[in-house]
PDB file of all heavy atoms in Angstrom:
ATOM      1  N   ARG X   9      66.598  -8.996  98.822  1.00 97.00           N
ATOM      2  CA  ARG X   9      65.420  -8.540  99.566  1.00 97.00           C
ATOM      3  C   ARG X   9      65.310  -7.015  99.519  1.00 97.00           C
ATOM      4  O   ARG X   9      64.197  -6.473  99.495  1.00 97.00           O
ATOM      5  CB  ARG X   9      65.499  -9.043 101.015  1.00 97.00           C
ATOM      6  CG  ARG X   9      65.220 -10.531 101.152  1.00 97.00           C
ATOM      7  CD  ARG X   9      65.032 -10.941 102.599  1.00 97.00           C
ATOM      8  NE  ARG X   9      66.276 -10.904 103.342  1.00 97.00           N
ATOM      9  CZ  ARG X   9      67.146 -11.901 103.411  1.00 97.00           C
ATOM     10  NH1 ARG X   9      66.918 -13.016 102.736  1.00 97.00           N
ATOM     11  NH2 ARG X   9      68.250 -11.804 104.132  1.00 97.00           N
ATOM     12  N   ILE X  10      66.435  -6.327  99.526  1.00 97.00           N
ATOM     13  CA  ILE X  10      66.407  -4.863  99.432  1.00 97.00           C
ATOM     14  C   ILE X  10      65.813  -4.441  98.093  1.00 97.00           C
ATOM     15  O   ILE X  10      64.966  -3.542  98.025  1.00 97.00           O
ATOM     16  CB  ILE X  10      67.821  -4.275  99.612  1.00 97.00           C
ATOM     17  CG1 ILE X  10      68.280  -4.440 101.069  1.00 97.00           C
ATOM     18  CG2 ILE X  10      67.847  -2.800  99.217  1.00 97.00           C
ATOM     19  CD1 ILE X  10      69.709  -3.990 101.308  1.00 97.00           C
ATOM     20  N   LEU X  11      66.249  -5.087  97.014  1.00 97.00           N
ATOM     21  CA  LEU X  11      65.727  -4.751  95.688  1.00 97.00           C
ATOM     22  C   LEU X  11      64.222  -4.986  95.618  1.00 97.00           C
ATOM     23  O   LEU X  11      63.481  -4.172  95.043  1.00 97.00           O
ATOM     24  CB  LEU X  11      66.438  -5.574  94.618  1.00 97.00           C
ATOM     25  CG  LEU X  11      67.914  -5.244  94.349  1.00 97.00           C
ATOM     26  CD1 LEU X  11      68.460  -6.135  93.240  1.00 97.00           C
ATOM     27  CD2 LEU X  11      68.087  -3.771  93.977  1.00 97.00           C
ATOM     28  N   ALA X  12      63.770  -6.100  96.186  1.00 97.00           N
ATOM     29  CA  ALA X  12      62.336  -6.398  96.175  1.00 97.00           C
ATOM     30  C   ALA X  12      61.562  -5.362  96.987  1.00 97.00           C
ATOM     31  O   ALA X  12      60.476  -4.917  96.575  1.00 97.00           O
ATOM     32  CB  ALA X  12      62.085  -7.802  96.727  1.00 97.00           C
ATOM     33  N   ALA X  13      62.113  -4.964  98.124  1.00 98.00           N
ATOM     34  CA  ALA X  13      61.448  -3.961  98.969  1.00 98.00           C
ATOM     35  C   ALA X  13      61.444  -2.596  98.294  1.00 98.00           C
ATOM     36  O   ALA X  13      60.465  -1.840  98.396  1.00 98.00           O
ATOM     37  CB  ALA X  13      62.144  -3.878 100.328  1.00 98.00           C
ATOM     38  N   VAL X  14      62.528  -2.262  97.612  1.00 98.00           N
ATOM     39  CA  VAL X  14      62.594  -0.989  96.881  1.00 98.00           C
ATOM     40  C   VAL X  14      61.522  -0.960  95.802  1.00 98.00           C
ATOM     41  O   VAL X  14      60.844   0.059  95.595  1.00 98.00           O
ATOM     42  CB  VAL X  14      63.998  -0.796  96.265  1.00 98.00           C
ATOM     43  CG1 VAL X  14      63.977   0.307  95.207  1.00 98.00           C
ATOM     44  CG2 VAL X  14      65.003  -0.444  97.347  1.00 98.00           C
ATOM     45  N   ASP X  15      61.361  -2.072  95.089  1.00 97.00           N
ATOM     46  CA  ASP X  15      60.348  -2.152  94.049  1.00 97.00           C
ATOM     47  C   ASP X  15      58.950  -1.965  94.639  1.00 97.00           C
ATOM     48  O   ASP X  15      58.119  -1.229  94.084  1.00 97.00           O
ATOM     49  CB  ASP X  15      60.452  -3.509  93.342  1.00 97.00           C
ATOM     50  CG  ASP X  15      59.452  -3.641  92.203  1.00 97.00           C
ATOM     51  OD1 ASP X  15      59.648  -2.992  91.162  1.00 97.00           O
ATOM     52  OD2 ASP X  15      58.475  -4.391  92.357  1.00 97.00           O
ATOM     53  N   ALA X  16      58.691  -2.602  95.776  1.00 97.00           N
ATOM     54  CA  ALA X  16      57.382  -2.475  96.423  1.00 97.00           C
ATOM     55  C   ALA X  16      57.147  -1.052  96.909  1.00 97.00           C
ATOM     56  O   ALA X  16      56.045  -0.499  96.763  1.00 97.00           O
ATOM     57  CB  ALA X  16      57.280  -3.458  97.589  1.00 97.00           C
ATOM     58  N   LEU X  17      58.185  -0.445  97.483  1.00 97.00           N
ATOM     59  CA  LEU X  17      58.057   0.924  97.985  1.00 97.00           C
ATOM     60  C   LEU X  17      57.802   1.909  96.843  1.00 97.00           C
ATOM     61  O   LEU X  17      56.987   2.822  96.965  1.00 97.00           O
ATOM     62  CB  LEU X  17      59.326   1.323  98.741  1.00 97.00           C
ATOM     63  CG  LEU X  17      59.306   2.707  99.407  1.00 97.00           C
ATOM     64  CD1 LEU X  17      58.317   2.712 100.561  1.00 97.00           C
ATOM     65  CD2 LEU X  17      60.694   3.088  99.904  1.00 97.00           C
ATOM     66  N   ALA X  18      58.499   1.714  95.730  1.00 97.00           N
ATOM     67  CA  ALA X  18      58.314   2.593  94.575  1.00 97.00           C
ATOM     68  C   ALA X  18      56.873   2.525  94.070  1.00 97.00           C
ATOM     69  O   ALA X  18      56.291   3.552  93.697  1.00 97.00           O
ATOM     70  CB  ALA X  18      59.295   2.217  93.469  1.00 97.00           C
ATOM     71  N   LYS X  19      56.305   1.346  94.057  1.00 97.00           N
ATOM     72  CA  LYS X  19      54.941   1.178  93.556  1.00 97.00           C
ATOM     73  C   LYS X  19      53.930   1.814  94.500  1.00 97.00           C
ATOM     74  O   LYS X  19      52.973   2.461  94.057  1.00 97.00           O
ATOM     75  CB  LYS X  19      54.630  -0.305  93.364  1.00 97.00           C
ATOM     76  CG  LYS X  19      55.390  -0.932  92.201  1.00 97.00           C
ATOM     77  CD  LYS X  19      55.116  -2.424  92.093  1.00 97.00           C
ATOM     78  CE  LYS X  19      55.887  -3.029  90.919  1.00 97.00           C
ATOM     79  NZ  LYS X  19      55.709  -4.494  90.818  1.00 97.00           N
ATOM     80  N   THR X  20      54.115   1.644  95.803  1.00 96.00           N
ATOM     81  CA  THR X  20      53.146   2.195  96.757  1.00 96.00           C
ATOM     82  C   THR X  20      53.241   3.713  96.850  1.00 96.00           C
ATOM     83  O   THR X  20      52.241   4.379  97.101  1.00 96.00           O
ATOM     84  CB  THR X  20      53.364   1.588  98.160  1.00 96.00           C
ATOM     85  OG1 THR X  20      54.717   1.832  98.580  1.00 96.00           O
ATOM     86  CG2 THR X  20      53.095   0.102  98.147  1.00 96.00           C
ATOM     87  N   GLN X  21      54.426   4.262  96.635  1.00 95.00           N
ATOM     88  CA  GLN X  21      54.607   5.712  96.749  1.00 95.00           C
ATOM     89  C   GLN X  21      54.634   6.419  95.397  1.00 95.00           C
ATOM     90  O   GLN X  21      54.827   7.626  95.333  1.00 95.00           O
ATOM     91  CB  GLN X  21      55.893   6.030  97.524  1.00 95.00           C
ATOM     92  CG  GLN X  21      55.855   5.556  98.966  1.00 95.00           C
ATOM     93  CD  GLN X  21      56.883   6.268  99.830  1.00 95.00           C
ATOM     94  OE1 GLN X  21      57.634   7.112  99.363  1.00 95.00           O
ATOM     95  NE2 GLN X  21      56.904   5.922 101.099  1.00 95.00           N
ATOM     96  N   GLY X  22      54.463   5.666  94.322  1.00 95.00           N
ATOM     97  CA  GLY X  22      54.426   6.280  93.012  1.00 95.00           C
ATOM     98  C   GLY X  22      55.753   6.870  92.566  1.00 95.00           C
ATOM     99  O   GLY X  22      55.797   7.905  91.907  1.00 95.00           O
ATOM    100  N   LEU X  23      56.841   6.186  92.913  1.00 96.00           N
ATOM    101  CA  LEU X  23      58.170   6.674  92.546  1.00 96.00           C
ATOM    102  C   LEU X  23      58.618   6.048  91.223  1.00 96.00           C
ATOM    103  O   LEU X  23      58.396   4.867  90.978  1.00 96.00           O
ATOM    104  CB  LEU X  23      59.180   6.340  93.645  1.00 96.00           C
ATOM    105  CG  LEU X  23      58.897   6.940  95.020  1.00 96.00           C
ATOM    106  CD1 LEU X  23      59.915   6.454  96.049  1.00 96.00           C
ATOM    107  CD2 LEU X  23      58.912   8.463  94.957  1.00 96.00           C
ATOM    108  N   ASP X  24      59.244   6.862  90.394  1.00 96.00           N
ATOM    109  CA  ASP X  24      59.737   6.384  89.102  1.00 96.00           C
ATOM    110  C   ASP X  24      61.184   5.911  89.164  1.00 96.00           C
ATOM    111  O   ASP X  24      61.621   5.117  88.332  1.00 96.00           O
ATOM    112  CB  ASP X  24      59.637   7.498  88.051  1.00 96.00           C
ATOM    113  CG  ASP X  24      58.220   8.017  87.899  1.00 96.00           C
ATOM    114  OD1 ASP X  24      57.338   7.198  87.594  1.00 96.00           O
ATOM    115  OD2 ASP X  24      57.997   9.224  88.085  1.00 96.00           O
ATOM    116  N   LEU X  25      61.918   6.400  90.149  1.00 96.00           N
ATOM    117  CA  LEU X  25      63.353   6.111  90.223  1.00 96.00           C
ATOM    118  C   LEU X  25      63.814   6.199  91.667  1.00 96.00           C
ATOM    119  O   LEU X  25      63.466   7.145  92.380  1.00 96.00           O
ATOM    120  CB  LEU X  25      64.124   7.132  89.368  1.00 96.00           C
ATOM    121  CG  LEU X  25      65.644   7.000  89.303  1.00 96.00           C
ATOM    122  CD1 LEU X  25      66.040   5.717  88.582  1.00 96.00           C
ATOM    123  CD2 LEU X  25      66.252   8.212  88.598  1.00 96.00           C
ATOM    124  N   ILE X  26      64.583   5.190  92.105  1.00 97.00           N
ATOM    125  CA  ILE X  26      65.185   5.206  93.443  1.00 97.00           C
ATOM    126  C   ILE X  26      66.675   4.951  93.285  1.00 97.00           C
ATOM    127  O   ILE X  26      67.079   3.958  92.685  1.00 97.00           O
ATOM    128  CB  ILE X  26      64.547   4.157  94.377  1.00 97.00           C
ATOM    129  CG1 ILE X  26      63.067   4.485  94.612  1.00 97.00           C
ATOM    130  CG2 ILE X  26      65.286   4.107  95.701  1.00 97.00           C
ATOM    131  CD1 ILE X  26      62.365   3.519  95.549  1.00 97.00           C
ATOM    132  N   LEU X  27      67.480   5.850  93.841  1.00 96.00           N
ATOM    133  CA  LEU X  27      68.930   5.769  93.717  1.00 96.00           C
ATOM    134  C   LEU X  27      69.574   5.576  95.078  1.00 96.00           C
ATOM    135  O   LEU X  27      68.999   5.945  96.114  1.00 96.00           O
ATOM    136  CB  LEU X  27      69.481   7.073  93.105  1.00 96.00           C
ATOM    137  CG  LEU X  27      68.961   7.478  91.722  1.00 96.00           C
ATOM    138  CD1 LEU X  27      69.454   8.880  91.392  1.00 96.00           C
ATOM    139  CD2 LEU X  27      69.428   6.490  90.673  1.00 96.00           C
ATOM    140  N   LEU X  28      70.781   5.000  95.065  1.00 95.00           N
ATOM    141  CA  LEU X  28      71.572   4.959  96.285  1.00 95.00           C
ATOM    142  C   LEU X  28      72.105   6.355  96.555  1.00 95.00           C
ATOM    143  O   LEU X  28      72.620   7.029  95.653  1.00 95.00           O
ATOM    144  CB  LEU X  28      72.742   3.977  96.141  1.00 95.00           C
ATOM    145  CG  LEU X  28      72.401   2.487  96.243  1.00 95.00           C
ATOM    146  CD1 LEU X  28      73.659   1.658  96.033  1.00 95.00           C
ATOM    147  CD2 LEU X  28      71.786   2.158  97.594  1.00 95.00           C
ATOM    148  N   ASP X  29      71.991   6.790  97.776  1.00 95.00           N
ATOM    149  CA  ASP X  29      72.449   8.127  98.152  1.00 95.00           C
ATOM    150  C   ASP X  29      73.955   8.099  98.378  1.00 95.00           C
ATOM    151  O   ASP X  29      74.440   7.590  99.385  1.00 95.00           O
ATOM    152  CB  ASP X  29      71.720   8.573  99.433  1.00 95.00           C
ATOM    153  CG  ASP X  29      72.082   9.983  99.836  1.00 95.00           C
ATOM    154  OD1 ASP X  29      72.811  10.652  99.079  1.00 95.00           O
ATOM    155  OD2 ASP X  29      71.634  10.427 100.911  1.00 95.00           O
ATOM    156  N   ASP X  30      74.701   8.646  97.442  1.00 92.00           N
ATOM    157  CA  ASP X  30      76.158   8.665  97.579  1.00 92.00           C
ATOM    158  C   ASP X  30      76.689  10.087  97.792  1.00 92.00           C
ATOM    159  O   ASP X  30      77.822  10.394  97.440  1.00 92.00           O
ATOM    160  CB  ASP X  30      76.826   8.027  96.354  1.00 92.00           C
ATOM    161  CG  ASP X  30      76.540   8.797  95.073  1.00 92.00           C
ATOM    162  OD1 ASP X  30      75.773   9.770  95.115  1.00 92.00           O
ATOM    163  OD2 ASP X  30      77.083   8.418  94.020  1.00 92.00           O
ATOM    164  N   ARG X  31      75.859  10.941  98.395  1.00 90.00           N
ATOM    165  CA  ARG X  31      76.294  12.316  98.621  1.00 90.00           C
ATOM    166  C   ARG X  31      77.486  12.405  99.555  1.00 90.00           C
ATOM    167  O   ARG X  31      78.250  13.368  99.522  1.00 90.00           O
ATOM    168  CB  ARG X  31      75.134  13.154  99.184  1.00 90.00           C
ATOM    169  CG  ARG X  31      74.046  13.467  98.175  1.00 90.00           C
ATOM    170  CD  ARG X  31      72.892  14.198  98.818  1.00 90.00           C
ATOM    171  NE  ARG X  31      72.211  13.351  99.789  1.00 90.00           N
ATOM    172  CZ  ARG X  31      71.247  13.792 100.604  1.00 90.00           C
ATOM    173  NH1 ARG X  31      70.854  15.048 100.548  1.00 90.00           N
ATOM    174  NH2 ARG X  31      70.654  12.966 101.446  1.00 90.00           N
ATOM    175  N   SER X  32      77.660  11.387 100.390  1.00 88.00           N
ATOM    176  CA  SER X  32      78.800  11.390 101.313  1.00 88.00           C
ATOM    177  C   SER X  32      80.108  11.057 100.611  1.00 88.00           C
ATOM    178  O   SER X  32      81.191  11.236 101.190  1.00 88.00           O
ATOM    179  CB  SER X  32      78.562  10.383 102.442  1.00 88.00           C
ATOM    180  OG  SER X  32      78.412   9.068 101.916  1.00 88.00           O
ATOM    181  N   LEU X  33      80.019  10.570  99.373  1.00 87.00           N
ATOM    182  CA  LEU X  33      81.227  10.254  98.616  1.00 87.00           C
ATOM    183  C   LEU X  33      81.862  11.551  98.129  1.00 87.00           C
ATOM    184  O   LEU X  33      81.354  12.202  97.219  1.00 87.00           O
ATOM    185  CB  LEU X  33      80.886   9.358  97.421  1.00 87.00           C
ATOM    186  CG  LEU X  33      82.049   8.984  96.484  1.00 87.00           C
ATOM    187  CD1 LEU X  33      83.117   8.209  97.237  1.00 87.00           C
ATOM    188  CD2 LEU X  33      81.537   8.180  95.295  1.00 87.00           C
ATOM    189  N   THR X  34      82.954  11.929  98.726  1.00 86.00           N
ATOM    190  CA  THR X  34      83.631  13.163  98.360  1.00 86.00           C
ATOM    191  C   THR X  34      85.093  13.066  98.749  1.00 86.00           C
ATOM    192  O   THR X  34      85.557  12.029  99.234  1.00 86.00           O
ATOM    193  CB  THR X  34      82.976  14.371  99.054  1.00 86.00           C
ATOM    194  OG1 THR X  34      83.590  15.583  98.589  1.00 86.00           O
ATOM    195  CG2 THR X  34      83.128  14.294 100.570  1.00 86.00           C
ATOM    196  N   PHE X  35      85.821  14.125  98.551  1.00 86.00           N
ATOM    197  CA  PHE X  35      87.234  14.107  98.887  1.00 86.00           C
ATOM    198  C   PHE X  35      87.419  14.162 100.407  1.00 86.00           C
ATOM    199  O   PHE X  35      86.681  14.875 101.090  1.00 86.00           O
ATOM    200  CB  PHE X  35      87.947  15.304  98.254  1.00 86.00           C
ATOM    201  CG  PHE X  35      87.837  15.350  96.752  1.00 86.00           C
ATOM    202  CD1 PHE X  35      87.065  16.305  96.121  1.00 86.00           C
ATOM    203  CD2 PHE X  35      88.500  14.418  95.972  1.00 86.00           C
ATOM    204  CE1 PHE X  35      86.949  16.338  94.746  1.00 86.00           C
ATOM    205  CE2 PHE X  35      88.401  14.437  94.592  1.00 86.00           C
ATOM    206  CZ  PHE X  35      87.621  15.402  93.982  1.00 86.00           C
ATOM    207  N   PRO X  36      88.373  13.416 100.937  1.00 82.00           N
ATOM    208  CA  PRO X  36      88.648  13.502 102.375  1.00 82.00           C
ATOM    209  C   PRO X  36      88.975  14.943 102.759  1.00 82.00           C
ATOM    210  O   PRO X  36      89.630  15.658 101.995  1.00 82.00           O
ATOM    211  CB  PRO X  36      89.874  12.587 102.562  1.00 82.00           C
ATOM    212  CG  PRO X  36      89.828  11.656 101.393  1.00 82.00           C
ATOM    213  CD  PRO X  36      89.253  12.455 100.261  1.00 82.00           C
ATOM    214  N   PRO X  37      88.513  15.400 103.912  1.00 82.00           N
ATOM    215  CA  PRO X  37      88.721  16.808 104.286  1.00 82.00           C
ATOM    216  C   PRO X  37      90.188  17.209 104.386  1.00 82.00           C
ATOM    217  O   PRO X  37      90.531  18.362 104.179  1.00 82.00           O
ATOM    218  CB  PRO X  37      88.011  16.916 105.643  1.00 82.00           C
ATOM    219  CG  PRO X  37      87.911  15.511 106.155  1.00 82.00           C
ATOM    220  CD  PRO X  37      87.776  14.652 104.943  1.00 82.00           C
ATOM    221  N   ASP X  38      91.055  16.260 104.715  1.00 81.00           N
ATOM    222  CA  ASP X  38      92.474  16.577 104.873  1.00 81.00           C
ATOM    223  C   ASP X  38      93.315  16.092 103.699  1.00 81.00           C
ATOM    224  O   ASP X  38      94.544  16.018 103.783  1.00 81.00           O
ATOM    225  CB  ASP X  38      93.013  15.976 106.176  1.00 81.00           C
ATOM    226  CG  ASP X  38      92.792  14.465 106.240  1.00 81.00           C
ATOM    227  OD1 ASP X  38      92.004  13.955 105.416  1.00 81.00           O
ATOM    228  OD2 ASP X  38      93.393  13.813 107.113  1.00 81.00           O
ATOM    229  N   ALA X  39      92.622  15.723 102.589  1.00 78.00           N
ATOM    230  CA  ALA X  39      93.345  15.188 101.434  1.00 78.00           C
ATOM    231  C   ALA X  39      94.124  16.295 100.730  1.00 78.00           C
ATOM    232  O   ALA X  39      93.603  17.384 100.485  1.00 78.00           O
ATOM    233  CB  ALA X  39      92.368  14.546 100.463  1.00 78.00           C
ATOM    234  N   GLN X  40      95.370  16.002 100.407  1.00 81.00           N
ATOM    235  CA  GLN X  40      96.225  16.948  99.701  1.00 81.00           C
ATOM    236  C   GLN X  40      97.060  16.196  98.663  1.00 81.00           C
ATOM    237  O   GLN X  40      97.409  15.035  98.860  1.00 81.00           O
ATOM    238  CB  GLN X  40      97.151  17.696 100.667  1.00 81.00           C
ATOM    239  CG  GLN X  40      96.420  18.602 101.645  1.00 81.00           C
ATOM    240  CD  GLN X  40      97.386  19.335 102.554  1.00 81.00           C
ATOM    241  OE1 GLN X  40      98.583  19.072 102.547  1.00 81.00           O
ATOM    242  NE2 GLN X  40      96.863  20.256 103.346  1.00 81.00           N
ATOM    243  N   ASP X  41      97.335  16.883  97.566  1.00 85.00           N
ATOM    244  CA  ASP X  41      98.201  16.332  96.522  1.00 85.00           C
ATOM    245  C   ASP X  41      97.719  14.967  96.033  1.00 85.00           C
ATOM    246  O   ASP X  41      98.502  14.022  95.889  1.00 85.00           O
ATOM    247  CB  ASP X  41      99.650  16.217  97.030  1.00 85.00           C
ATOM    248  CG  ASP X  41     100.207  17.550  97.496  1.00 85.00           C
ATOM    249  OD1 ASP X  41      99.846  18.580  96.890  1.00 85.00           O
ATOM    250  OD2 ASP X  41     100.989  17.560  98.464  1.00 85.00           O
ATOM    251  N   LEU X  42      96.429  14.870  95.776  1.00 87.00           N
ATOM    252  CA  LEU X  42      95.877  13.614  95.268  1.00 87.00           C
ATOM    253  C   LEU X  42      96.243  13.447  93.800  1.00 87.00           C
ATOM    254  O   LEU X  42      96.204  14.408  93.031  1.00 87.00           O
ATOM    255  CB  LEU X  42      94.352  13.600  95.418  1.00 87.00           C
ATOM    256  CG  LEU X  42      93.794  13.579  96.836  1.00 87.00           C
ATOM    257  CD1 LEU X  42      92.278  13.648  96.798  1.00 87.00           C
ATOM    258  CD2 LEU X  42      94.238  12.324  97.574  1.00 87.00           C
ATOM    259  N   PRO X  43      96.577  12.230  93.375  1.00 91.00           N
ATOM    260  CA  PRO X  43      96.851  11.987  91.956  1.00 91.00           C
ATOM    261  C   PRO X  43      95.612  12.260  91.107  1.00 91.00           C
ATOM    262  O   PRO X  43      94.479  12.142  91.580  1.00 91.00           O
ATOM    263  CB  PRO X  43      97.244  10.506  91.911  1.00 91.00           C
ATOM    264  CG  PRO X  43      97.597  10.152  93.313  1.00 91.00           C
ATOM    265  CD  PRO X  43      96.765  11.023  94.195  1.00 91.00           C
ATOM    266  N   GLU X  44      95.831  12.594  89.856  1.00 90.00           N
ATOM    267  CA  GLU X  44      94.721  12.907  88.947  1.00 90.00           C
ATOM    268  C   GLU X  44      93.745  11.745  88.835  1.00 90.00           C
ATOM    269  O   GLU X  44      92.527  11.939  88.838  1.00 90.00           O
ATOM    270  CB  GLU X  44      95.274  13.262  87.572  1.00 90.00           C
ATOM    271  CG  GLU X  44      94.180  13.585  86.545  1.00 90.00           C
ATOM    272  CD  GLU X  44      94.750  13.810  85.162  1.00 90.00           C
ATOM    273  OE1 GLU X  44      95.948  13.527  84.953  1.00 90.00           O
ATOM    274  OE2 GLU X  44      94.005  14.261  84.286  1.00 90.00           O
ATOM    275  N   GLN X  45      94.269  10.516  88.760  1.00 92.00           N
ATOM    276  CA  GLN X  45      93.407   9.351  88.611  1.00 92.00           C
ATOM    277  C   GLN X  45      92.492   9.179  89.817  1.00 92.00           C
ATOM    278  O   GLN X  45      91.312   8.847  89.678  1.00 92.00           O
ATOM    279  CB  GLN X  45      94.254   8.082  88.413  1.00 92.00           C
ATOM    280  CG  GLN X  45      93.445   6.833  88.083  1.00 92.00           C
ATOM    281  CD  GLN X  45      92.686   6.979  86.777  1.00 92.00           C
ATOM    282  OE1 GLN X  45      93.224   7.465  85.789  1.00 92.00           O
ATOM    283  NE2 GLN X  45      91.419   6.588  86.765  1.00 92.00           N
ATOM    284  N   THR X  46      93.021   9.417  91.008  1.00 88.00           N
ATOM    285  CA  THR X  46      92.215   9.308  92.222  1.00 88.00           C
ATOM    286  C   THR X  46      91.104  10.344  92.224  1.00 88.00           C
ATOM    287  O   THR X  46      89.946  10.038  92.551  1.00 88.00           O
ATOM    288  CB  THR X  46      93.099   9.494  93.468  1.00 88.00           C
ATOM    289  OG1 THR X  46      94.128   8.497  93.476  1.00 88.00           O
ATOM    290  CG2 THR X  46      92.272   9.376  94.738  1.00 88.00           C
ATOM    291  N   VAL X  47      91.437  11.563  91.845  1.00 88.00           N
ATOM    292  CA  VAL X  47      90.442  12.633  91.787  1.00 88.00           C
ATOM    293  C   VAL X  47      89.355  12.291  90.775  1.00 88.00           C
ATOM    294  O   VAL X  47      88.157  12.420  91.046  1.00 88.00           O
ATOM    295  CB  VAL X  47      91.102  13.974  91.431  1.00 88.00           C
ATOM    296  CG1 VAL X  47      90.040  15.054  91.206  1.00 88.00           C
ATOM    297  CG2 VAL X  47      92.068  14.405  92.520  1.00 88.00           C
TER     298      VAL X  47
END
């Protein structure tokens, strides 16, 4: 239902692309000595 609503919203607002907002995805503020793979 979210995908269908996104498609409808894009058409009504003239949007070409809608992305999930992942700006909150970042390193933990207290993270230290993280392995390279995790980074």
Side-chain angles (χ1 to χ4, degrees):
R9 286 191 289 273
I10 290 175
L11 290 181
V14 165
D15 182 72
L17 184 68
K19 290 177 180 177
T20 57
Q21 296 200 0
L23 300 176
D24 303 302
L25 180 67
I26 296 181
L27 301 171
L28 284 178
D29 183 5
D30 63 356
R31 288 176 294 173
S32 60
L33 177 61
T34 185
F35 301 110
D38 56 346
Q40 295 181 353
D41 303 325
L42 293 177
E44 179 185 10
Q45 187 62 44
T46 301
V47 173

